[in-house]
Amino acid sequence: MEKVGRNDPCPCGSGKKYKKCHGANEGSGGQTFMESLGMPNAATAVIKELEAGMDGMSFESAAEARRFMESFQIERNRAPITDFLGLSSEDMHLILHDPARAVPRLLDFKGALKEEDVPIIPLLRQALYLLRALARGPLRLTKAGYLDPDFVSEWYDAAFDLTESPGFRDIVRPRKESDGYPLFRTRDICERRGLVRAGSRRLELEPKGSALAAGGDFLGLYRELFVGELEQSGDEGFGYNDRFPPLAGQAVLFALFVLGKLPRKPLGDDEIIAPFARAFPSAGDFSEQPDRRVYLSIAFERPTQELGLARERPLLSRDIEEERSLELGPLYDRILSWRRQGPQSP
């Protein structure tokens, strides 16, 4: 096999001369160009890894070299990463950008949910009340596209803020859907997952929503709502999401994965945020308030409580408690089974 000359095209297919590409390290004592300048960067480790993989290899054509590079990149993308608690960069890409594909790749829903489980899972009881109301017939929408105020009051009283005191609920009870952000969020999740559809001046039940609500497949409905929660949290165009710090909404599935690696006890802020900070060191200063509190609230507390994975706490207590803690409930281990095990978080 012919040796590649310094001025020949690099066999990797980049179009650069070999001496400007994969031959750049020859004669440099094994250092990369940036290392020779005393400034190794994020690419240095990747180059070293690639060099080790190519050690002793030669390529007869640019196509052969490209195939090796593609195989190398696929294998690297699928390798578990310690700071991701055993997830790969490919897994993390899907978590952040395509949760509907990430969920079946990483997570199994096991066992069953029964009617008596519905009241303790806020998002499930809220969505199920809406679906069962729509099973009786379409709901009227206002000209602005919001639900009729009478139904808004009925829906809120039946399914929202049930752990709050009656006096507090009287104060926060919305008079219209646009004033009730939690109601608006639940309806949006149902629309995202194709359970309901907003038509001309009315909200209608879709066949998928009808089948899940009428058939008693509570776990199937929960799975749809679970994915919808992730999609909505990561949608920067929805509601107030554009005000979240980087990755707070997009990384909710990873946050749920992190919690599964932590001890089953009341968890303080430091224990919860540490694995998140290791995975995303450039996302922000996790030691400082208020961003730290926003990450904890958006990525950990809100989804676990809405999905019934942690105890639903009254809003008032969340505001006045000096020492905050989050503890997973039995539902987490009862219905969630992660396909990527990885190490426990230290």
Side-chain angles (χ1 to χ4, degrees), residues 211-325:
L212 289 171
D217 183 6
F218 300 120
L219 187 64
L221 177 56
Y222 182 88
R223 186 187 301 112
E224 293 291 340
L225 299 172
F226 187 100
V227 174
E229 172 84 22
L230 301 178
E231 290 179 330
Q232 187 189 80
S233 294
D235 182 356
E236 294 183 354
F238 177 79
Y240 307 116
N241 290 7
D242 59 344
R243 304 178 190 179
F244 295 165
L247 302 180
Q250 291 90 337
V252 167
L253 184 58
F254 178 66
L256 296 176
F257 181 73
V258 165
L259 289 174
K261 300 295 182 182
L262 295 172
R264 297 299 187 263
K265 66 181 184 65
L267 299 167
D269 289 358
D270 291 341
E271 293 175 278
I272 297 171
I273 206 68
F276 200 82
R278 283 194 296 270
F280 307 115
S282 62
D285 186 351
F286 293 96
S287 64
E288 296 292 330
Q289 300 282 14
D291 274 5
R292 171 189 172 97
R293 174 43 42 194
V294 175
Y295 276 108
L296 288 164
S297 175
I298 299 303
F300 292 90
E301 293 174 356
R302 187 178 75 180
T304 55
Q305 291 179 36
E306 291 188 347
L307 293 168
L309 304 174
R311 178 172 60 93
E312 186 181 9
R313 293 192 302 172
L315 286 169
L316 192 58
S317 72
R318 292 178 226 167
D319 291 337
I320 65 175
E321 283 176 352
E322 292 183 5
E323 301 240 348
R324 296 171 183 266
S325 66

Side-chain angles (χ1 to χ4, degrees), residues 5-296:
R6 297 275 293 161
N7 289 311
D8 291 342
C10 185
C12 75
S14 67
K16 298 179 182 179
K17 290 184 178 181
Y18 180 66
K19 67 181 180 182
K20 296 288 187 180
C21 194
H22 283 91
N25 294 342
E26 290 187 357
S28 64
Q31 289 186 320
T32 66
F33 176 70
M34 294 304 293
E35 280 181 305
S36 69
L37 298 178
M39 296 185 295
N41 58 20
T44 301
V46 179
I47 293 172
K48 293 286 190 180
E49 190 178 337
L50 179 59
E51 288 175 344
M54 294 176 64
D55 187 35
M57 297 183 66
S58 59
F59 305 103
E60 295 185 352
S61 67
E64 185 181 356
R66 279 196 298 272
R67 285 194 295 271
F68 169 80
M69 295 289 287
E70 290 169 1
S71 175
F72 169 84
Q73 191 61 48
I74 290 172
E75 184 176 343
R76 189 173 187 277
N77 288 345
R78 293 177 178 174
I81 297 174
T82 301
D83 284 345
F84 291 168
L85 298 180
L87 298 179
S88 67
S89 60
E90 191 172 81
D91 293 332
M92 188 61 76
H93 177 81
L94 290 176
I95 284 172
L96 299 178
H97 302 288
D98 195 350
R101 288 177 59 202
V103 168
R105 175 189 177 102
L106 301 175
L107 190 59
D108 285 320
F109 293 83
K110 59 183 181 179
L113 289 175
K114 301 178 181 179
E115 184 79 43
E116 53 264 35
D117 294 314
V118 173
I120 63 172
I121 305 174
L123 184 57
L124 182 59
R125 73 173 182 246
Q126 294 157 10
L128 193 57
Y129 190 91
L130 177 63
L131 298 182
R132 286 173 171 172
L134 287 168
R136 298 190 292 268
L139 293 171
R140 187 176 70 85
L141 298 177
T142 66
K143 288 182 179 180
Y146 294 114
L147 287 164
D148 182 85
D150 289 339
F151 178 76
V152 168
S153 296
E154 173 192 327
W155 190 19
Y156 176 83
D157 288 341
F160 291 84
D161 294 334
L162 299 187
T163 59
E164 305 292 348
S165 68
F168 185 83
R169 297 185 77 219
D170 285 340
I171 295 172
V172 301
R173 178 181 291 106
R175 297 183 179 180
K176 52 186 178 179
E177 189 183 12
S178 57
D179 293 336
Y181 191 60
L183 285 73
F184 183 66
R185 289 189 69 245
T186 300
R187 175 183 154 190
D188 176 78
I189 288 172
C190 290
E191 290 188 25
R192 285 175 187 269
R193 300 309 301 163
L195 306 177
V196 305
R197 179 176 62 87
S200 177
R201 299 295 299 274
R202 63 183 194 173
L203 188 68
E204 300 175 313
L205 190 61
E206 289 281 63
K208 182 164 76 169
S210 177
L212 289 171
D217 183 6
F218 300 120
L219 187 64
L221 177 56
Y222 182 88
R223 186 187 301 112
E224 293 291 340
L225 299 172
F226 187 100
V227 174
E229 172 84 22
L230 301 178
E231 290 179 330
Q232 187 189 80
S233 294
D235 182 356
E236 294 183 354
F238 177 79
Y240 307 116
N241 290 7
D242 59 344
R243 304 178 190 179
F244 295 165
L247 302 180
Q250 291 90 337
V252 167
L253 184 58
F254 178 66
L256 296 176
F257 181 73
V258 165
L259 289 174
K261 300 295 182 182
L262 295 172
R264 297 299 187 263
K265 66 181 184 65
L267 299 167
D269 289 358
D270 291 341
E271 293 175 278
I272 297 171
I273 206 68
F276 200 82
R278 283 194 296 270
F280 307 115
S282 62
D285 186 351
F286 293 96
S287 64
E288 296 292 330
Q289 300 282 14
D291 274 5
R292 171 189 172 97
R293 174 43 42 194
V294 175
Y295 276 108
L296 288 164

